[in-house]
Amino acid sequence: MTRTERLLQLMQILRRHRYPVSGATLAAELGISLRSLYRDIATLQGQGARIEGEAGVGYLLLPGYLLPPLMFSDEEIDALVLGSRWVAQHGDPALAAASRSALSRILSVLPEERRQDPDSAALLVGPTGGDHADDSRLTLLRQALRSERKLAFGYRDARGEVTQRTVWPVALGYFEQVRMLAGWCEQRQAFRHFRVDRMHDVRILDDRYPRHRRQLLHEWRRQEQLRPQ
């Protein structure tokens, strides 16, 4: 195990503990000496990790600290790069631009030996069956999800019938062929799924939904688990 991998593992161990954990316990789990552990703690603190405690007392990682890209494993870097490229290629303009910006930041701060050349990447994103890159409706849907506001839109179902809906958006699914919105439909008084390409005249209303989106998301997931496969 390299020292970088060990520092990453130490951070993950600290994340699991809600109360101070002794240096001896940490050193035993990592298979290193106490002296090495103290050096690792000091290194992480120097990089900005909010680790409280001292030798003989115990250590606690305060919430809110994010691992710098230097601490990402090779597999995690691959996942971030591949995911960012997928969004950049298949997201709407606002999301694609944000993804390209985030990927640029990640690559710029990686160590030189681990930095990937975007033009020589081994992990590539292939085309999908639909064209969603210019769908401005997706930007509105994400805004409604973040602000927990109701959506109003016209919806054309598979039979071509058009209805007016008021929906409390819960989640937005990016599938290979289509984009799907899950939400509580006031007209049907139940959770429903809507294909984004069948929605028109989408408007974000001033009204917030009466319950938090997180609670609705939990209820929707429970319903989906009970639905016959």
Side-chain angles (χ1 to χ4, degrees):
M1 181 189 300
T2 66
R3 187 161 189 259
T4 298
E5 292 171 336
R6 192 174 77 224
L7 291 174
L8 177 62
Q9 186 175 349
L10 174 55
M11 288 293 296
Q12 298 303 329
I13 294 172
L14 287 169
R15 284 183 186 278
R16 297 202 308 262
H17 293 275
R18 298 179 58 185
Y19 302 99
V21 56
S22 70
T25 299
L26 293 170
E29 187 162 351
L30 290 167
I32 60 176
S33 67
L34 270 175
R35 179 176 297 182
S36 295
L37 175 76
Y38 296 150
R39 285 200 301 265
D40 289 350
I41 292 288
T43 297
L44 290 172
Q45 289 172 330
Q47 292 181 352
R50 299 171 60 197
I51 301 175
E52 282 194 346
E54 58 186 44
V57 176
Y59 297 95
L60 177 67
L61 178 64
L62 300 181
Y65 177 70
L66 298 177
L67 288 175
L70 174 64
M71 298 297 296
F72 291 150
S73 68
D74 290 338
E75 291 293 328
E76 289 169 333
I77 293 172
D78 282 345
L80 288 169
V81 171
L82 184 61
S84 296
R85 289 192 171 122
W86 190 95
V87 175
Q89 182 167 327
H90 301 296
D92 57 84
L95 202 60
S99 178
R100 285 191 292 267
S101 175
L103 178 58
S104 177
R105 291 187 185 186
I106 292 172
L107 294 178
S108 69
V109 296
L110 288 175
E112 185 66 32
E113 68 275 10
R114 304 178 72 195
R115 193 173 302 167
Q116 296 187 18
D117 178 3
D119 295 327
S120 61
L123 303 180
L124 304 178
V125 177
T128 61
D131 182 11
H132 311 280
D134 296 326
D135 197 337
S136 59
R137 289 169 291 193
L138 295 170
T139 302
L140 287 176
L141 299 186
R142 292 202 314 276
Q143 290 174 354
L145 285 164
R146 285 194 296 264
S147 61
E148 298 189 349
R149 295 187 185 279
K150 297 181 181 182
L151 281 170
F153 54 87
Y155 190 72
R156 175 180 51 82
D157 64 20
R159 295 172 296 182
E161 298 180 0
V162 177
T163 55
Q164 298 298 315
R165 303 296 183 99
T166 300
V167 171
W168 310 349
V170 171
L172 182 60
Y174 287 74
F175 297 96
E176 194 71 14
Q177 301 290 339
V178 297
R179 307 294 182 254
M180 298 286 293
L181 176 73
W184 177 266
C185 178
E186 292 188 354
Q187 282 71 24
R188 300 295 186 262
Q189 285 295 294
F191 288 110
R192 289 290 187 268
H193 302 95
F194 305 93
R195 282 180 48 159
V196 176
D197 60 339
R198 294 177 178 171
M199 300 165 61
H200 61 86
D201 299 328
V202 180
R203 295 178 293 115
I204 301 177
L205 304 181
D206 292 332
D207 298 336
R208 292 179 177 272
Y209 17 112
R211 287 181 287 165
H212 290 298
R213 189 181 66 85
R214 182 177 297 180
Q215 178 185 358
L216 291 169
L217 183 61
H218 176 74
E219 294 175 8
W220 170 74
R221 283 175 171 162
R222 184 172 54 192
Q223 173 185 287
E224 290 303 298
Q225 290 173 352
L226 297 175
R227 186 189 302 273
Q229 297 297 317

